[in-house]
Amino acid sequence: MSRVYNFSAGPAVLPEEVLKEAAEEMLDYRGCGMSVMEMSHRSKMFEEIIQGAEADLRDLLQIPDNYKVLFLQGGASQQFAMIPMNLMKNRVADYIVTGQWAKKAWQEAQKYGKANKIASSEDKTFSYIPDCSDLPISPDADYVYICENNTIYGTKFKELPNTKGKTLVADVSSCFLSEPVDVSKYGILYGGVQKNIGPAGMVISIIREDLITEEVLPGTPTMLTFKTHADADSLYNTPNSYCIYICGKVFQWLKKMGGLSAMKERNEQKAKLLYDFLDESSLFHGTVVPKDRSLMNVPFITGDTDLDAKFVKEAKEAGFENLKGHRSVGGMRASIYNAMPVEGVKALVDFMRTFEKENG
Ligand SMILES: *Cc1c(COP(=O)(O)O)cnc(C)c1O
């Protein structure tokens, strides 16, 4: 067996321990004679899995009791529609556009009402987070929307926007569980789990209870109504049961690692290794404003597209996978999520240093 260092933005690296445990339980989950993907989602066995996963997630994030945790399908992208359908009572929402994912969410919301772009960093290819301390928040806005960590561009909100009392909705796909957060500051925080938590195909949406109502936009499908899933504890229909099982294992792993404060420390250590090197390198450069740098997604370039391609190719041959930047921006990107070990980042920096000597 040979594992590579996988710097993919998503689906992404998972803790080896979790994969091994899942492999051991594949044919016979704890004596029940079948795998988790073969069992009824209404069984006692699965009930324990989903309830345990939720309890561990609540524990990790210190989720207040007046928030529901929903395990939903359709990925993060489905939330782009589900959020306006469920929250746009006045048919007005304010969007802060800091990257492709925020832009897609903003465009989707326009189908359902007036979606105002109240701030953007598109003027400088999304390389920074705009000042959000005093934005023109609409008086009748149903919510203010952000993408907290911009997976493609590698920026992160270090401070949440001043929403002037309006409900904050945040896509946290690529920073989910990377550090402690104060859930009570959000109306909804949600993320596709394939970035920092589990396999693809599921989104976890953490929603304050007063936002879960029957008053949704006319024509909203039953399956896209938060209340449907909240009332059924995410078991209205067959959920992504295997994904919930793996996520549950990752939550257990995170607790064993010391929880989110410990993860934050580890993530800061990893990011510092890489950013410090980028800051001193004569060949490689980071592409975003230093104060807005993400701890999870680190884009960088040499400034020469041929040399970028050579680097990606040679890195792959040396066992560093998926370092090519997003197709919309080019260059390189190292995603260094929770499950990427410190050794992986150290090895990457060493490899970059050698490449610099040979090609600088
Ligand atoms: C990957 C990503 C998405 C899209 O996720 P899907 O599950 O593929 O829909 C949305 N937002 C952010 C921030 C992402 O990183």
Side-chain angles (χ1 to χ4, degrees), residues 72-112:
L72 305 171
Q73 296 178 65
S77 301
Q78 188 156 284
Q79 296 301 294
F80 298 171
M82 236 171 140
I83 286 157
M85 283 174 153
N86 284 269
L87 260 54
M88 261 194 183
K89 317 286 181 208
N90 299 328
R91 300 232 183 198
V92 179
D94 290 343
Y95 279 72
I96 299 173
V97 178
T98 53
Q100 298 291 354
W101 296 117
K103 194 173 179 180
K104 280 191 172 156
W106 168 61
Q107 286 166 337
E108 187 70 11
Q110 289 167 31
K111 292 186 168 183
Y112 305 101

Side-chain angles (χ1 to χ4, degrees), residues 9-10 74-78 80 101-102 145 147-152 171-174 190-195 200-203 297 337:
S77 301
Q78 188 156 284
F80 298 171
W101 296 117
Y145 183 100
C147 176
E148 195 162 329
N149 185 78
N150 296 284
T151 325
I152 297 172
D171 175 354
V172 299
S173 295
S174 48
Y190 77 91
V193 299
Q194 76 275 25
K195 305 290 160 68
M202 193 172 79
V203 55
N297 310 100
Y337 297 122

